[in-house]
PDB file of all heavy atoms in Angstrom:
ATOM      1  N   ASP C 165     -18.262  -1.604  32.784  1.00 75.00           N
ATOM      2  CA  ASP C 165     -19.210  -2.709  32.828  1.00 75.00           C
ATOM      3  C   ASP C 165     -19.731  -2.910  34.242  1.00 75.00           C
ATOM      4  O   ASP C 165     -19.253  -2.330  35.215  1.00 75.00           O
ATOM      5  CB  ASP C 165     -18.642  -3.996  32.204  1.00 75.00           C
ATOM      6  CG  ASP C 165     -17.551  -4.600  33.044  1.00 75.00           C
ATOM      7  OD1 ASP C 165     -17.537  -4.397  34.262  1.00 75.00           O
ATOM      8  OD2 ASP C 165     -16.711  -5.302  32.461  1.00 75.00           O
ATOM      9  N   ARG C 169     -18.531  -1.046  37.636  1.00 83.00           N
ATOM     10  CA  ARG C 169     -19.325   0.096  38.037  1.00 83.00           C
ATOM     11  C   ARG C 169     -19.621   0.044  39.528  1.00 83.00           C
ATOM     12  O   ARG C 169     -19.527   1.036  40.239  1.00 83.00           O
ATOM     13  CB  ARG C 169     -20.627   0.111  37.223  1.00 83.00           C
ATOM     14  CG  ARG C 169     -21.206   1.459  37.102  1.00 83.00           C
ATOM     15  CD  ARG C 169     -22.028   1.633  35.852  1.00 83.00           C
ATOM     16  NE  ARG C 169     -22.793   0.455  35.534  1.00 83.00           N
ATOM     17  CZ  ARG C 169     -23.000   0.035  34.304  1.00 83.00           C
ATOM     18  NH1 ARG C 169     -22.487   0.678  33.277  1.00 83.00           N
ATOM     19  NH2 ARG C 169     -23.712  -1.032  34.076  1.00 83.00           N
ATOM     20  N   ASN C 181     -16.394  10.242  51.496  1.00 90.00           N
ATOM     21  CA  ASN C 181     -16.299  10.103  52.950  1.00 90.00           C
ATOM     22  C   ASN C 181     -14.977  10.651  53.465  1.00 90.00           C
ATOM     23  O   ASN C 181     -14.911  11.281  54.512  1.00 90.00           O
ATOM     24  CB  ASN C 181     -16.412   8.633  53.350  1.00 90.00           C
ATOM     25  CG  ASN C 181     -17.856   8.161  53.275  1.00 90.00           C
ATOM     26  OD1 ASN C 181     -18.773   8.975  53.292  1.00 90.00           O
ATOM     27  ND2 ASN C 181     -18.046   6.860  53.174  1.00 90.00           N
ATOM     28  N   HIS C 192     -27.968   8.754  35.027  1.00 84.00           N
ATOM     29  CA  HIS C 192     -29.381   8.430  34.858  1.00 84.00           C
ATOM     30  C   HIS C 192     -29.644   7.039  35.415  1.00 84.00           C
ATOM     31  O   HIS C 192     -30.680   6.456  35.142  1.00 84.00           O
ATOM     32  CB  HIS C 192     -29.863   8.580  33.418  1.00 84.00           C
ATOM     33  CG  HIS C 192     -29.032   7.868  32.413  1.00 84.00           C
ATOM     34  ND1 HIS C 192     -28.440   8.517  31.367  1.00 84.00           N
ATOM     35  CD2 HIS C 192     -28.665   6.590  32.314  1.00 84.00           C
ATOM     36  CE1 HIS C 192     -27.765   7.644  30.654  1.00 84.00           C
ATOM     37  NE2 HIS C 192     -27.884   6.472  31.200  1.00 84.00           N
ATOM     38  N   LEU C 219     -33.741   8.172  50.651  1.00 91.00           N
ATOM     39  CA  LEU C 219     -34.846   7.444  51.276  1.00 91.00           C
ATOM     40  C   LEU C 219     -36.129   8.256  51.272  1.00 91.00           C
ATOM     41  O   LEU C 219     -37.222   7.714  51.159  1.00 91.00           O
ATOM     42  CB  LEU C 219     -34.455   6.993  52.678  1.00 91.00           C
ATOM     43  CG  LEU C 219     -33.340   5.933  52.639  1.00 91.00           C
ATOM     44  CD1 LEU C 219     -32.925   5.514  54.046  1.00 91.00           C
ATOM     45  CD2 LEU C 219     -33.742   4.711  51.827  1.00 91.00           C
ATOM     46  N   TYR C 222     -37.543   7.580  48.043  1.00 93.00           N
ATOM     47  CA  TYR C 222     -38.021   6.211  47.953  1.00 93.00           C
ATOM     48  C   TYR C 222     -39.353   6.063  48.667  1.00 93.00           C
ATOM     49  O   TYR C 222     -40.289   5.468  48.151  1.00 93.00           O
ATOM     50  CB  TYR C 222     -36.973   5.285  48.572  1.00 93.00           C
ATOM     51  CG  TYR C 222     -37.361   3.811  48.585  1.00 93.00           C
ATOM     52  CD1 TYR C 222     -37.191   3.016  47.449  1.00 93.00           C
ATOM     53  CD2 TYR C 222     -37.856   3.220  49.734  1.00 93.00           C
ATOM     54  CE1 TYR C 222     -37.520   1.682  47.454  1.00 93.00           C
ATOM     55  CE2 TYR C 222     -38.192   1.881  49.758  1.00 93.00           C
ATOM     56  CZ  TYR C 222     -38.031   1.113  48.612  1.00 93.00           C
ATOM     57  OH  TYR C 222     -38.355  -0.222  48.629  1.00 93.00           O
ATOM     58  N   GLU C 260     -41.024  -5.004  45.924  1.00 92.00           N
ATOM     59  CA  GLU C 260     -40.602  -5.607  47.191  1.00 92.00           C
ATOM     60  C   GLU C 260     -41.661  -5.470  48.279  1.00 92.00           C
ATOM     61  O   GLU C 260     -41.525  -6.038  49.346  1.00 92.00           O
ATOM     62  CB  GLU C 260     -39.260  -5.027  47.651  1.00 92.00           C
ATOM     63  CG  GLU C 260     -39.201  -3.517  47.836  1.00 92.00           C
ATOM     64  CD  GLU C 260     -38.804  -2.783  46.569  1.00 92.00           C
ATOM     65  OE1 GLU C 260     -39.125  -3.276  45.466  1.00 92.00           O
ATOM     66  OE2 GLU C 260     -38.182  -1.712  46.675  1.00 92.00           O
ATOM     67  N   GLU C 279     -37.189 -14.521  37.211  1.00 89.00           N
ATOM     68  CA  GLU C 279     -35.738 -14.386  37.255  1.00 89.00           C
ATOM     69  C   GLU C 279     -35.238 -14.810  38.634  1.00 89.00           C
ATOM     70  O   GLU C 279     -35.475 -14.139  39.624  1.00 89.00           O
ATOM     71  CB  GLU C 279     -35.324 -12.935  36.956  1.00 89.00           C
ATOM     72  CG  GLU C 279     -35.793 -12.469  35.581  1.00 89.00           C
ATOM     73  CD  GLU C 279     -35.307 -11.063  35.257  1.00 89.00           C
ATOM     74  OE1 GLU C 279     -35.381 -10.195  36.153  1.00 89.00           O
ATOM     75  OE2 GLU C 279     -34.862 -10.837  34.135  1.00 89.00           O
ATOM     76  N   SER C 283     -30.452 -14.940  45.625  1.00 86.00           N
ATOM     77  CA  SER C 283     -30.797 -14.127  46.788  1.00 86.00           C
ATOM     78  C   SER C 283     -32.252 -13.657  46.713  1.00 86.00           C
ATOM     79  O   SER C 283     -32.921 -13.518  47.720  1.00 86.00           O
ATOM     80  CB  SER C 283     -29.868 -12.927  46.869  1.00 86.00           C
ATOM     81  OG  SER C 283     -29.859 -12.270  45.620  1.00 86.00           O
ATOM     82  N   ASP C 284     -32.698 -13.368  45.493  1.00 89.00           N
ATOM     83  CA  ASP C 284     -34.058 -12.898  45.299  1.00 89.00           C
ATOM     84  C   ASP C 284     -34.628 -13.564  44.066  1.00 89.00           C
ATOM     85  O   ASP C 284     -33.901 -14.143  43.269  1.00 89.00           O
ATOM     86  CB  ASP C 284     -34.101 -11.383  45.017  1.00 89.00           C
ATOM     87  CG  ASP C 284     -33.298 -10.608  45.998  1.00 89.00           C
ATOM     88  OD1 ASP C 284     -33.813 -10.346  47.098  1.00 89.00           O
ATOM     89  OD2 ASP C 284     -32.134 -10.264  45.671  1.00 89.00           O
ATOM     90  N   ARG C 301     -41.066  -8.920  43.801  1.00 92.00           N
ATOM     91  CA  ARG C 301     -39.782  -9.452  44.221  1.00 92.00           C
ATOM     92  C   ARG C 301     -39.973 -10.301  45.456  1.00 92.00           C
ATOM     93  O   ARG C 301     -40.680  -9.934  46.384  1.00 92.00           O
ATOM     94  CB  ARG C 301     -38.856  -8.297  44.537  1.00 92.00           C
ATOM     95  CG  ARG C 301     -37.540  -8.778  45.119  1.00 92.00           C
ATOM     96  CD  ARG C 301     -36.636  -7.618  45.439  1.00 92.00           C
ATOM     97  NE  ARG C 301     -36.159  -7.782  46.816  1.00 92.00           N
ATOM     98  CZ  ARG C 301     -35.197  -7.032  47.329  1.00 92.00           C
ATOM     99  NH1 ARG C 301     -34.636  -6.067  46.609  1.00 92.00           N
ATOM    100  NH2 ARG C 301     -34.824  -7.237  48.561  1.00 92.00           N
ATOM    101  N   ASN C 303     -37.816 -12.456  48.438  1.00 87.00           N
ATOM    102  CA  ASN C 303     -36.507 -12.790  48.987  1.00 87.00           C
ATOM    103  C   ASN C 303     -36.279 -14.272  48.834  1.00 87.00           C
ATOM    104  O   ASN C 303     -37.167 -15.061  49.058  1.00 87.00           O
ATOM    105  CB  ASN C 303     -36.449 -12.435  50.463  1.00 87.00           C
ATOM    106  CG  ASN C 303     -36.075 -10.989  50.626  1.00 87.00           C
ATOM    107  OD1 ASN C 303     -35.261 -10.480  49.867  1.00 87.00           O
ATOM    108  ND2 ASN C 303     -36.702 -10.328  51.595  1.00 87.00           N
ATOM    109  N   ASP C 305     -35.925 -17.811  47.259  1.00 84.00           N
ATOM    110  CA  ASP C 305     -36.391 -18.531  46.096  1.00 84.00           C
ATOM    111  C   ASP C 305     -37.844 -18.912  46.210  1.00 84.00           C
ATOM    112  O   ASP C 305     -38.375 -19.099  47.297  1.00 84.00           O
ATOM    113  CB  ASP C 305     -35.584 -19.830  45.973  1.00 84.00           C
ATOM    114  CG  ASP C 305     -34.994 -19.910  44.607  1.00 84.00           C
ATOM    115  OD1 ASP C 305     -35.107 -18.908  43.866  1.00 84.00           O
ATOM    116  OD2 ASP C 305     -34.411 -20.946  44.293  1.00 84.00           O
TER     117      ASP C 305
ATOM    118  N   ASP E 165     -27.626   0.930  28.571  1.00 76.00           N
ATOM    119  CA  ASP E 165     -27.555   1.412  29.951  1.00 76.00           C
ATOM    120  C   ASP E 165     -28.440   0.557  30.858  1.00 76.00           C
ATOM    121  O   ASP E 165     -29.223  -0.270  30.404  1.00 76.00           O
ATOM    122  CB  ASP E 165     -27.823   2.906  30.053  1.00 76.00           C
ATOM    123  CG  ASP E 165     -29.261   3.263  29.765  1.00 76.00           C
ATOM    124  OD1 ASP E 165     -30.140   2.414  29.978  1.00 76.00           O
ATOM    125  OD2 ASP E 165     -29.493   4.408  29.350  1.00 76.00           O
ATOM    126  N   ARG E 169     -31.002  -2.399  29.795  1.00 83.00           N
ATOM    127  CA  ARG E 169     -30.468  -3.739  29.887  1.00 83.00           C
ATOM    128  C   ARG E 169     -31.496  -4.663  30.556  1.00 83.00           C
ATOM    129  O   ARG E 169     -31.718  -5.776  30.114  1.00 83.00           O
ATOM    130  CB  ARG E 169     -29.156  -3.719  30.658  1.00 83.00           C
ATOM    131  CG  ARG E 169     -28.272  -4.865  30.331  1.00 83.00           C
ATOM    132  CD  ARG E 169     -26.812  -4.542  30.508  1.00 83.00           C
ATOM    133  NE  ARG E 169     -26.600  -3.740  31.693  1.00 83.00           N
ATOM    134  CZ  ARG E 169     -25.687  -2.795  31.770  1.00 83.00           C
ATOM    135  NH1 ARG E 169     -24.920  -2.514  30.747  1.00 83.00           N
ATOM    136  NH2 ARG E 169     -25.545  -2.113  32.874  1.00 83.00           N
ATOM    137  N   ARG E 173     -33.152  -7.738  28.564  1.00 89.00           N
ATOM    138  CA  ARG E 173     -32.936  -9.043  29.165  1.00 89.00           C
ATOM    139  C   ARG E 173     -34.262  -9.805  29.214  1.00 89.00           C
ATOM    140  O   ARG E 173     -34.356 -10.962  28.813  1.00 89.00           O
ATOM    141  CB  ARG E 173     -32.423  -8.775  30.572  1.00 89.00           C
ATOM    142  CG  ARG E 173     -32.013  -9.918  31.371  1.00 89.00           C
ATOM    143  CD  ARG E 173     -31.297  -9.368  32.593  1.00 89.00           C
ATOM    144  NE  ARG E 173     -32.186  -9.241  33.751  1.00 89.00           N
ATOM    145  CZ  ARG E 173     -31.893  -8.534  34.849  1.00 89.00           C
ATOM    146  NH1 ARG E 173     -30.769  -7.829  34.911  1.00 89.00           N
ATOM    147  NH2 ARG E 173     -32.727  -8.503  35.854  1.00 89.00           N
ATOM    148  N   HIS E 192     -20.452 -11.421  30.849  1.00 84.00           N
ATOM    149  CA  HIS E 192     -19.701 -11.551  32.082  1.00 84.00           C
ATOM    150  C   HIS E 192     -20.467 -10.930  33.249  1.00 84.00           C
ATOM    151  O   HIS E 192     -19.930 -10.697  34.301  1.00 84.00           O
ATOM    152  CB  HIS E 192     -18.270 -11.004  31.973  1.00 84.00           C
ATOM    153  CG  HIS E 192     -18.193  -9.616  31.455  1.00 84.00           C
ATOM    154  ND1 HIS E 192     -17.451  -9.288  30.368  1.00 84.00           N
ATOM    155  CD2 HIS E 192     -18.778  -8.485  31.858  1.00 84.00           C
ATOM    156  CE1 HIS E 192     -17.573  -8.005  30.120  1.00 84.00           C
ATOM    157  NE2 HIS E 192     -18.371  -7.490  31.016  1.00 84.00           N
ATOM    158  N   LEU E 219     -29.544 -21.953  39.969  1.00 91.00           N
ATOM    159  CA  LEU E 219     -29.680 -22.148  41.409  1.00 91.00           C
ATOM    160  C   LEU E 219     -28.716 -23.202  41.938  1.00 91.00           C
ATOM    161  O   LEU E 219     -28.236 -23.087  43.059  1.00 91.00           O
ATOM    162  CB  LEU E 219     -31.134 -22.466  41.758  1.00 91.00           C
ATOM    163  CG  LEU E 219     -32.068 -21.268  41.479  1.00 91.00           C
ATOM    164  CD1 LEU E 219     -33.515 -21.611  41.805  1.00 91.00           C
ATOM    165  CD2 LEU E 219     -31.633 -20.029  42.262  1.00 91.00           C
ATOM    166  N   TYR E 222     -25.709 -21.305  42.515  1.00 93.00           N
ATOM    167  CA  TYR E 222     -25.852 -20.389  43.644  1.00 93.00           C
ATOM    168  C   TYR E 222     -25.755 -21.148  44.964  1.00 93.00           C
ATOM    169  O   TYR E 222     -25.066 -20.730  45.882  1.00 93.00           O
ATOM    170  CB  TYR E 222     -27.214 -19.678  43.541  1.00 93.00           C
ATOM    171  CG  TYR E 222     -27.519 -18.723  44.660  1.00 93.00           C
ATOM    172  CD1 TYR E 222     -26.990 -17.429  44.646  1.00 93.00           C
ATOM    173  CD2 TYR E 222     -28.329 -19.104  45.724  1.00 93.00           C
ATOM    174  CE1 TYR E 222     -27.276 -16.541  45.679  1.00 93.00           C
ATOM    175  CE2 TYR E 222     -28.608 -18.219  46.747  1.00 93.00           C
ATOM    176  CZ  TYR E 222     -28.089 -16.934  46.732  1.00 93.00           C
ATOM    177  OH  TYR E 222     -28.368 -16.062  47.728  1.00 93.00           O
ATOM    178  N   GLU E 260     -26.494 -11.784  51.721  1.00 92.00           N
ATOM    179  CA  GLU E 260     -27.897 -11.906  52.109  1.00 92.00           C
ATOM    180  C   GLU E 260     -28.105 -12.979  53.162  1.00 92.00           C
ATOM    181  O   GLU E 260     -29.202 -13.132  53.685  1.00 92.00           O
ATOM    182  CB  GLU E 260     -28.781 -12.153  50.874  1.00 92.00           C
ATOM    183  CG  GLU E 260     -28.436 -13.379  50.045  1.00 92.00           C
ATOM    184  CD  GLU E 260     -27.435 -13.082  48.938  1.00 92.00           C
ATOM    185  OE1 GLU E 260     -26.577 -12.194  49.136  1.00 92.00           O
ATOM    186  OE2 GLU E 260     -27.478 -13.758  47.887  1.00 92.00           O
ATOM    187  N   SER E 283     -35.276  -0.565  48.990  1.00 86.00           N
ATOM    188  CA  SER E 283     -35.713  -1.960  49.144  1.00 86.00           C
ATOM    189  C   SER E 283     -34.709  -2.753  49.978  1.00 86.00           C
ATOM    190  O   SER E 283     -35.091  -3.642  50.731  1.00 86.00           O
ATOM    191  CB  SER E 283     -35.860  -2.595  47.775  1.00 86.00           C
ATOM    192  OG  SER E 283     -34.667  -2.393  47.035  1.00 86.00           O
ATOM    193  N   ASP E 284     -33.434  -2.458  49.804  1.00 89.00           N
ATOM    194  CA  ASP E 284     -32.393  -3.147  50.544  1.00 89.00           C
ATOM    195  C   ASP E 284     -31.364  -2.139  50.985  1.00 89.00           C
ATOM    196  O   ASP E 284     -31.339  -1.012  50.507  1.00 89.00           O
ATOM    197  CB  ASP E 284     -31.651  -4.161  49.657  1.00 89.00           C
ATOM    198  CG  ASP E 284     -32.590  -5.030  48.874  1.00 89.00           C
ATOM    199  OD1 ASP E 284     -33.075  -6.003  49.452  1.00 89.00           O
ATOM    200  OD2 ASP E 284     -32.843  -4.706  47.676  1.00 89.00           O
ATOM    201  N   ARG E 301     -26.134  -7.672  53.307  1.00 93.00           N
ATOM    202  CA  ARG E 301     -27.322  -7.080  52.737  1.00 93.00           C
ATOM    203  C   ARG E 301     -28.471  -7.196  53.721  1.00 93.00           C
ATOM    204  O   ARG E 301     -28.672  -8.234  54.345  1.00 93.00           O
ATOM    205  CB  ARG E 301     -27.677  -7.805  51.459  1.00 93.00           C
ATOM    206  CG  ARG E 301     -28.992  -7.329  50.894  1.00 93.00           C
ATOM    207  CD  ARG E 301     -29.333  -8.064  49.638  1.00 93.00           C
ATOM    208  NE  ARG E 301     -30.690  -8.574  49.749  1.00 93.00           N
ATOM    209  CZ  ARG E 301     -31.357  -9.103  48.743  1.00 93.00           C
ATOM    210  NH1 ARG E 301     -30.780  -9.252  47.571  1.00 93.00           N
ATOM    211  NH2 ARG E 301     -32.575  -9.527  48.927  1.00 93.00           N
ATOM    212  N   ASN E 303     -32.643  -6.509  54.147  1.00 87.00           N
ATOM    213  CA  ASN E 303     -33.879  -6.139  53.478  1.00 87.00           C
ATOM    214  C   ASN E 303     -34.397  -4.860  54.078  1.00 87.00           C
ATOM    215  O   ASN E 303     -34.374  -4.687  55.285  1.00 87.00           O
ATOM    216  CB  ASN E 303     -34.921  -7.229  53.691  1.00 87.00           C
ATOM    217  CG  ASN E 303     -34.771  -8.297  52.629  1.00 87.00           C
ATOM    218  OD1 ASN E 303     -34.477  -7.994  51.486  1.00 87.00           O
ATOM    219  ND2 ASN E 303     -34.933  -9.539  53.034  1.00 87.00           N
ATOM    220  N   ASP E 305     -34.558  -1.172  55.303  1.00 84.00           N
ATOM    221  CA  ASP E 305     -33.646  -0.140  55.743  1.00 84.00           C
ATOM    222  C   ASP E 305     -33.083  -0.412  57.121  1.00 84.00           C
ATOM    223  O   ASP E 305     -33.699  -1.074  57.937  1.00 84.00           O
ATOM    224  CB  ASP E 305     -34.423   1.185  55.818  1.00 84.00           C
ATOM    225  CG  ASP E 305     -33.727   2.235  55.027  1.00 84.00           C
ATOM    226  OD1 ASP E 305     -32.738   1.891  54.344  1.00 84.00           O
ATOM    227  OD2 ASP E 305     -34.157   3.385  55.092  1.00 84.00           O
ATOM    228  N   HIS E 310     -21.685   5.790  57.990  1.00 86.00           N
ATOM    229  CA  HIS E 310     -20.241   5.685  57.950  1.00 86.00           C
ATOM    230  C   HIS E 310     -19.641   5.797  59.346  1.00 86.00           C
ATOM    231  O   HIS E 310     -19.929   6.748  60.076  1.00 86.00           O
ATOM    232  CB  HIS E 310     -19.725   6.818  57.069  1.00 86.00           C
ATOM    233  CG  HIS E 310     -18.259   6.790  56.849  1.00 86.00           C
ATOM    234  ND1 HIS E 310     -17.612   5.782  56.175  1.00 86.00           N
ATOM    235  CD2 HIS E 310     -17.298   7.661  57.241  1.00 86.00           C
ATOM    236  CE1 HIS E 310     -16.317   6.026  56.138  1.00 86.00           C
ATOM    237  NE2 HIS E 310     -16.090   7.162  56.780  1.00 86.00           N
TER     238      HIS E 310
END
Side-chain angles (χ1 to χ4, degrees):
Chain C
D165 70 26
R169 205 152 38 217
N181 284 340
H192 51 238
L219 293 178
Y222 178 82
E260 57 271 31
E279 300 183 317
S283 52
D284 311 278
R301 174 180 130 170
N303 275 323
D305 233 7
Chain E
D165 70 27
R169 204 152 40 215
R173 185 169 95 195
H192 53 236
L219 294 179
Y222 178 82
E260 58 270 32
S283 52
D284 312 278
R301 174 180 129 170
N303 274 323
D305 233 7
H310 184 65

